[in-house]
Amino acid sequence: MNSSDLPALLQGFFTGKLVIQRQPSPATVASYRDTFTLLLGFASARAGRQPHRLQITDLDAEAVGAFLTHLERERGSSVPTRNARLAAIRSFFRYAALHAPQHAQLIQQVLAIPAKRAGKATVTWLTGPETEALTAAPDRSTWHGRRDHALLLTAVHTGLRVSELTGLTIADTHLGNGPHLRCRGKGRKERCTPLTPQAAKILRAWIRERGGQPEDPLFPSRRGTPLSRDAVARLVAVHAETAAGNCPSIGGKHVTPHTLRHSTAMALLRAGVDTSVIALWLGHESPETTQAYLHADMEIKERALARVNPPGGTPGRYSPPDSLIAYLKTL
């Protein structure tokens, strides 16, 4: 291939390596697709040529580095998102190394671009009253409101990822004895997540109203198509804003679909469920991932602290003096 064969390289990468050889999940294909849509748009504007006229030399290390900077500064992407985009680009360039060896030096320079290290943010979750306010926010006199109520209740009771929620079909819902949802998570792994009686009751009513065939999406758009990740993010944000009217504490939190997943984990943790069980429930690759919830829960730390007394000390935690008295003592 010569340097003008970037379109052929990309097509071969997606249809050959990615889809046929690796057989990724639809979410992975969508992530890779979005990465290259953004990259080609950026490179096109930079080179002054249409995307189909770009050459692989237009995607050198300098251009890719500028694109990653653009993601963070202009699009507001987080470091994990930036690194995920870079991982997709690296995968393509490893493929290009085999099929366009004449560009070996350029390819190696792109592959040498390092991922960024990101500090771990504190987990944000909703308390019990906040969760109730959020799930009560949709207007259930409308079709959209009943769908959103069922979706939000399912999300906070099961802890499913947004991609798992949008991928649910009617056939994935089992509402007989031992009601549960069957979902496909990361790495195309299937797992079953139990449903509470409340969630099962709401889903029964929703499925009766929704109708459709077993292979149809459980939470569809008005057109009958699966909701997109962005659509779920928007409806969560809208209902969180509504809920803040009745529960002001929600207003101080950035509520996303992943916040609902964190809320499930924290509810299980506070109920005394072992972290290894929570890891299985949420579909974590390793129980170590679940340790983040232990670090985030100050009440658990407070209870641990209350059990530990220094030698010769008295039970309880130190309480600072009255703030006014403390101020006077500084004079």
Side-chain angles (χ1 to χ4, degrees):
M1 294 184 179
N2 57 46
S3 60
S4 64
D5 281 334
L6 179 61
L9 275 172
L10 273 173
Q11 290 173 13
F13 170 70
F14 273 93
T15 60
K17 178 181 178 180
L18 192 61
V19 175
I20 297 177
Q21 295 181 21
R22 293 185 55 186
Q23 298 182 341
S25 67
T28 299
V29 174
S31 176
Y32 276 52
R33 175 203 64 206
D34 294 345
T35 294
F36 284 97
T37 299
L38 292 170
L39 175 60
L40 293 175
F42 177 82
S44 174
R46 198 168 186 262
R49 293 193 297 279
Q50 291 297 313
H52 71 276
R53 296 188 178 278
L54 292 174
Q55 304 172 356
I56 194 170
T57 52
D58 292 314
L59 301 182
D60 59 9
E62 181 182 353
V64 173
F67 168 68
L68 296 173
T69 301
H70 163 77
L71 289 178
E72 292 187 87
R73 294 182 180 176
E74 304 300 326
R75 293 184 59 86
S77 297
S78 64
V79 172
T81 298
R82 181 255 191 204
N83 289 342
R85 302 296 187 203
L86 177 58
I89 293 169
R90 282 175 171 172
S91 183
F92 165 69
F93 274 89
R94 284 193 290 270
Y95 171 85
L98 299 175
H99 295 83
Q102 67 272 30
H103 297 295
Q105 183 176 358
L106 178 151
I107 292 168
Q108 289 304 315
Q109 289 172 347
V110 172
L111 292 175
I113 297 175
K116 265 192 173 181
R117 298 189 65 178
K120 292 186 178 180
T122 303
V123 172
T124 299
W125 75 94
L126 302 181
T127 63
E130 290 170 346
T131 298
E132 291 176 5
L134 178 65
T135 55
D139 179 5
R140 279 176 274 175
S141 66
T142 68
W143 183 90
H144 279 105
R146 291 188 292 274
R147 179 203 64 188
D148 293 357
H149 174 67
L151 186 151
L152 291 173
L153 199 67
T154 300
V156 299
H157 282 232
T158 63
L160 295 184
R161 299 178 178 91
V162 64
S163 59
E164 295 166 348
L165 279 171
T166 58
L168 287 172
T169 65
I170 295 174
D172 293 324
T173 310
H174 303 270
L175 301 176
N177 292 330
H180 64 275
L181 294 176
R182 184 180 297 277
C183 71
R184 286 158 290 281
K186 285 187 175 181
R188 302 185 301 279
K189 293 181 179 178
E190 290 194 0
R191 73 179 190 280
C192 294
T193 304
L195 291 168
T196 62
Q198 181 188 6
K201 179 181 178 181
I202 294 298
L203 283 177
R204 284 191 192 97
W206 167 245
I207 291 174
R208 281 197 300 270
E209 176 179 359
R210 188 244 180 277
Q213 300 301 313
E215 66 275 9
D216 290 338
L218 180 60
F219 302 115
S221 66
R222 267 296 188 187
R223 299 188 303 277
T225 57
L227 290 172
S228 67
R229 297 168 63 99
D230 288 344
V232 176
R234 284 193 297 271
L235 72 85
V236 168
V238 167
H239 295 311
E241 185 176 353
T242 302
N246 296 320
C247 186
S249 60
I250 294 182
K253 297 181 177 181
H254 178 53
V255 184
T256 68
H258 216 65
T259 305
L260 309 186
R261 180 170 164 82
H262 292 326
S263 303
T264 305
M266 295 303 293
L268 292 170
L269 186 64
R270 292 185 168 193
V273 178
D274 188 84
T275 54
S276 61
V277 176
I278 298 175
L280 290 172
W281 186 300
L282 298 181
H284 285 161
E285 286 288 339
S286 168
E288 292 181 5
T289 307
T290 318
Q291 298 300 315
Y293 300 112
L294 284 172
H295 293 297
D297 194 339
M298 186 58 68
E299 287 187 13
I300 291 178
K301 296 175 183 177
E302 292 279 359
R303 290 197 298 269
L305 182 64
R307 298 191 191 103
V308 179
N309 294 314
T314 56
R317 185 174 182 182
Y318 167 76
S319 297
D322 182 87
S323 58
L324 179 58
I325 300 299
Y327 163 73
L328 293 175
K329 288 184 177 181
T330 65
L331 300 178

